[in-house]
Amino acid sequence: MDKYARIATLENEIEAGLLDSILTERNIPHVIRSYHDIVYNGIYQTVRGWGYVGSLESYRQEIIDILMNIRKSPSGDI
């Protein structure tokens, strides 16, 4: 089994959801993890970002390009 690497930090839940939809649609293997922790009431999200996207190294640039397009587009249309 291939190991996923952290590809990028995600800014918020909306960005994470949109990225997840696009990557799923394009059949790009990935995992999205939130830094939210109930015990610490989300304190790590203020320091580290909302969460991260992980995938295989071979998809790194494609995922980063998609994420940059999401962030550039005011309506999320890419």
Side-chain angles (χ1 to χ4, degrees):
M1 183 173 165
D2 294 319
K3 200 166 191 175
Y4 283 7
R6 288 183 189 209
I7 304 297
T9 299
L10 302 172
E11 295 176 354
N12 56 57
E13 188 173 359
I14 294 168
E15 181 179 85
L18 184 54
L19 181 62
D20 182 48
S21 293
I22 294 167
L23 296 179
T24 299
E25 181 180 293
R26 296 183 185 187
N27 295 316
I28 296 174
H30 67 284
V31 62
I32 292 185
R33 296 280 186 242
S34 167
Y35 288 130
H36 185 76
D37 186 335
I38 294 172
V39 174
Y40 294 106
N41 196 25
I43 195 167
Y44 289 116
Q45 287 181 311
T46 60
V47 177
R48 299 171 79 184
W50 181 88
Y52 70 90
V53 58
S55 187
L56 302 173
E57 280 295 332
S58 58
Y59 290 99
R60 178 178 292 276
Q61 193 56 55
E62 187 174 358
I63 292 171
I64 289 172
D65 290 344
I66 293 167
L67 185 57
M68 290 301 108
N69 285 332
I70 290 170
R71 289 177 178 170
K72 282 185 209 175
S73 176
S75 64
D77 297 329
I78 59 166

